[in-house]
Amino acid sequence: MMSFWQSKDPAAPISTNHPVAYADRLRIRQPGDAGFALGPHVDGGSVERWEPEGYGLGGVYNEVFSGNWESFDPWESSCRLPVESDLYNGAGACSMFRMFQGWLSMSHTGPGEGTLLVNPLFSLATSYLLLRPFFSPINTNPASSGYLDELNWQLDPIQSSTLQGATLGCTQELTATLHPHLDLTKSMVHVPRVAPGDYVAWHCDTIHAVDKTHAGETDSSVLYIPSCPLTDGNANYLARQREAFLNGTPGPDFPGGKGESEHLGRMGKADVSAQGGTEAERAMGLKAYGGDSAFLAKINGILDLEN
Ligand SMILES: [Fe+2]
């Protein structure tokens, strides 16, 4: 799946052929639950998308900010490598570069039953939310006719520091009030009904949300499993995650504690090998990469593993 992404720099230190594992969450949502509701949002930071020290380090959205939004390529990977997407120690922020967020369904779940909604406008929506802070309505009454008309919106002659829906340390939120042209009440669409074993993936820039209430009859349960390429940064996190795995403690991005460290019979390296062989061991940072590639040799060094 990561082959949808391309690097304009063939020498960029990234491989989509060597996926690495990010140990994320398990979610069990019971029927009737309204507490887990998540409105439309984009993960991977918020204000960082506008900051030179954030996504600006790789110029990820330069085409949008320079007015060439039609040329913005959301599938170019090398520009994402220098990105700092978490400058404010956001709670629950993911330290790995995820090309796709994803989940593996553990239950039979349909629309309205505590499942996922995504916004298929994708890069158009990305361009809109990035440019939104630079424009204001002339007639500010949202109920007035012509409120959404392009003639009612002007480039602000004096910019403020307001970034609609972006708060330090939080994910980027989208609302009907702050982002009226996205028409979120209509443009957020459910993923189809899923069965246990179905995998749902969405690009890391995609606006997504979770049903406000779970109106189904049975639990809605998923394992969060993103798609992460092999990069220096991801290998650095993988080394720390490996230590946590071997010690039975929560992954580095999660609140600490004893975790499973005192559990009897918890999984270890031998279980990873038995279940998934060499590929699984490598995805977990437990085995060196072979071959004579300089990139993989560097990764082995980061992981403190010898080929
Ligand atoms: Fe999310």
Side-chain angles (χ1 to χ4, degrees):
M1 195 169 60
M2 291 195 288
S3 68
F4 281 113
W5 287 72
Q6 304 295 332
S7 171
K8 65 174 187 260
D9 172 10
I14 181 168
S15 170
T16 52
N17 295 321
H18 301 88
V20 294
Y22 180 76
D24 209 322
R25 301 164 175 80
L26 161 67
R27 188 207 76 203
I28 303 173
R29 199 173 177 197
Q30 299 295 346
D33 173 70
F36 188 75
L38 280 173
H41 68 281
V42 185
D43 292 300
S46 54
V47 293
E48 289 88 347
R49 288 190 164 77
W50 286 269
E51 294 199 84
E53 298 81 18
Y55 284 73
L57 289 173
V60 174
Y61 302 119
N62 278 2
E63 294 285 9
V64 176
F65 292 132
S66 59
N68 303 316
W69 57 269
E70 297 96 330
S71 304
F72 164 57
D73 179 5
W75 302 102
E76 203 290 304
S77 58
S78 64
C79 67
R80 307 251 174 180
L81 297 180
V83 164
E84 291 286 349
S85 63
D86 180 24
L87 292 171
Y88 304 100
N89 198 22
C94 174
S95 294
M96 272 204 189
F97 166 36
R98 300 178 286 192
M99 289 184 152
F100 296 91
Q101 292 179 255
W103 51 250
L104 184 74
S105 181
M106 306 287 281
S107 56
H108 292 271
T109 305
E113 298 174 358
T115 191
L116 186 82
L117 300 92
V118 292
N119 190 305
L121 294 171
F122 189 36
S123 56
L124 298 174
T126 304
S127 300
Y128 175 78
L129 79 89
L130 291 172
L131 295 176
R132 173 66 186 86
F134 304 107
F135 293 86
S136 294
I138 298 166
N139 177 347
T140 57
N141 178 7
S144 63
S145 71
Y147 176 71
L148 296 179
D149 193 291
E150 65 181 284
L151 295 175
N152 190 43
W153 291 76
Q154 63 180 356
L155 185 67
D156 289 332
I158 300 171
Q159 297 293 321
S160 77
S161 59
T162 303
L163 299 171
Q164 285 79 2
T167 308
L168 300 182
C170 299
T171 58
Q172 172 68 41
E173 293 189 281
L174 291 303
T175 69
T177 304
L178 296 174
H179 306 92
H181 297 88
L182 291 181
D183 204 359
L184 291 166
T185 50
K186 289 184 190 158
S187 62
M188 296 300 294
V189 298
H190 277 107
V191 299
R193 171 167 285 278
V194 291
D198 284 342
Y199 184 63
V200 177
W202 61 100
H203 185 287
C204 53
D205 283 347
T206 302
I207 300 171
H208 56 288
V210 177
D211 273 326
K212 277 201 181 73
T213 52
H214 175 0
E217 307 271 293
T218 56
D219 68 282
S220 165
S221 302
V222 299
L223 289 164
Y224 292 108
I225 304 178
S227 301
C228 302
L230 185 60
T231 67
D232 294 357
N234 282 0
N236 269 308
Y237 183 86
L238 191 62
R240 295 191 290 137
Q241 178 177 272
R242 173 186 58 198
E243 292 314 301
F245 170 67
L246 295 174
N247 293 328
T249 52
D253 275 344
F254 297 85
K258 282 194 276 189
E260 300 174 358
S261 60
E262 294 170 6
H263 289 198
L264 295 176
R266 65 184 163 82
M267 286 187 74
K269 184 180 177 184
D271 301 286
V272 175
S273 312
Q275 293 299 319
T278 300
E279 284 189 348
E281 290 175 306
R282 286 184 173 144
M284 290 290 284
L286 293 164
K287 188 180 182 70
Y289 291 94
D292 52 7
S293 131
F295 170 63
L296 293 178
K298 187 176 176 210
I299 295 292
N300 286 340
I302 292 170
L303 292 168
D304 200 19
L305 293 169
E306 284 191 21
N307 178 15

